[in-house]
Amino acid sequence: MSGRRLLLPKTMNCKNSPAYEAFGLSMKNCTVDHFASAKILLHYHNESVVEAALAGHPRFLTLARMSKDVREATGDVGGIAKALIDDAEVAQIPVLVLTGDIIAARGALRQAMGMALAETPFHCKYGYWPGRQMACRDESFLRVFGERRRCEPGVLQEMCGVRGFACCEVFHGWAEKLEFFTGQPWDLPCNCGLDDLCAVFDRTQDYPQLTENHRCCHLRHEDPPMLHCFNIGSFPPSNPPMDFNSYSSDAL
């Protein structure tokens, strides 16, 4: 809303990852891509966020040394929001550090722009559990360990959330292979816990063009709701071996 890009944090608590104890990890600080798909996040929000590694780039460090404005979002958040929009001097500050109550600052920024507090520029999308990529559903895995080890999504793990935030599609050895190797399920909510903005639309039977595999979401404040529907497809009982470079390959 302010026209700036948010620098993603590089100090997220690694202990919140399902893989932390299962893999015996020791590092304390993790980046966003340990918890959510960075590819999906940047695909939808590339104009709003930048990767945490940028903070260490020499050009960014030079900008930060030359001009950095730290504003507390605890007192006059309305004044801060107005400055972010109207103050030409603030607009020229290349690196702006905003501390304090970020949620309050967001609300003030919406009001300063004439938006209702419930309004948001985000879109909703169903956060689904990618069973076709989970190695703990592979035929070879089930042959060895039996049907009782077939993994399934947890209760309420699938839920509507904000498009771009996908905490069950963290591939390349994290979400899709954790239970395969350790028995520990990847139990983060697939919407990354961002369920305050979006709600599930459960009257899909009223729409003949939607199938039982469709999941529809909408912003909670919308009346009538504008539906964002996603066809999750159907999961086979097990995943057959595919090409050598796929997630469920026997070669891996």
Side-chain angles (χ1 to χ4, degrees):
M1 290 185 290
S2 66
R4 292 179 175 271
R5 291 191 179 190
L6 173 69
L7 181 66
L8 293 172
K10 62 177 180 179
T11 55
M12 298 182 72
N13 188 352
C14 293
K15 290 185 178 181
N16 291 330
S17 169
Y20 186 81
E21 292 186 3
F23 282 146
L25 304 180
S26 59
M27 66 270 205
K28 296 181 179 180
N29 297 325
C30 286
T31 51
V32 172
D33 55 311
H34 283 81
F35 303 91
S37 170
K39 178 180 179 180
I40 296 175
L41 177 65
L42 293 174
H43 174 75
Y44 287 110
H45 301 288
N46 191 45
E47 295 182 355
S48 303
V49 301
V50 291
E51 296 183 71
L54 182 68
H57 193 281
R59 292 181 63 186
F60 182 88
L61 293 173
T62 300
L63 287 175
R65 284 193 297 268
M66 291 171 56
S67 178
K68 179 169 62 175
D69 188 14
V70 179
R71 292 175 177 259
E72 290 284 346
T74 54
D76 181 17
V77 290
I80 293 174
K82 193 173 187 306
L84 287 172
I85 299 171
D86 299 331
D87 192 324
E89 184 178 345
V90 171
Q92 296 301 315
I93 298 173
V95 180
L96 180 69
V97 179
L98 186 64
T99 61
D101 191 338
I102 303 302
I103 302 299
R106 181 189 66 182
L109 189 59
R110 286 176 177 169
Q111 287 186 318
M113 298 179 68
M115 300 172 61
L117 290 179
E119 285 188 70
T120 174
F122 296 119
H123 295 279
C124 296
K125 187 174 182 180
Y126 190 76
Y128 87 109
W129 189 77
R132 285 178 293 276
Q133 280 76 37
M134 292 298 186
C136 44
R137 294 176 67 88
D138 287 358
E139 289 180 355
S140 55
F141 176 80
L142 297 177
R143 279 198 301 269
V144 174
F145 294 101
E147 294 293 322
R148 63 181 181 82
R149 287 288 303 275
R150 184 202 316 276
C151 53
E152 302 286 348
V155 178
L156 298 181
Q157 190 173 12
E158 297 182 302
M159 190 62 66
C160 287
V162 176
R163 184 178 68 177
F165 291 85
C167 283
C168 287
E169 297 177 71
V170 195
F171 299 145
H172 309 295
W174 294 105
E176 90 283 8
K177 286 196 172 67
L178 180 65
E179 192 163 352
F180 179 97
F181 285 121
T182 70
Q184 165 67 36
W186 184 268
D187 55 6
L188 290 181
C190 296
N191 66 359
C192 304
L194 301 176
D195 51 12
D196 59 329
L197 290 176
C198 302
V200 175
F201 184 81
D202 55 10
R203 301 199 310 273
T204 53
Q205 68 273 12
D206 298 341
Y207 295 81
Q209 66 271 36
L210 299 177
T211 70
E212 61 180 10
N213 294 327
H214 280 89
R215 303 291 183 271
C216 297
C217 306
H218 64 89
L219 292 170
R220 291 186 184 274
H221 75 274
E222 289 181 329
D223 185 21
M226 180 177 294
L227 300 184
H228 299 272
C229 297
F230 179 65
N231 188 341
I232 65 170
S234 58
F235 293 172
S238 60
N239 299 324
M242 294 184 280
D243 295 334
F244 76 94
N245 61 344
S246 72
Y247 295 120
S248 61
S249 166
D250 286 343
L252 296 178

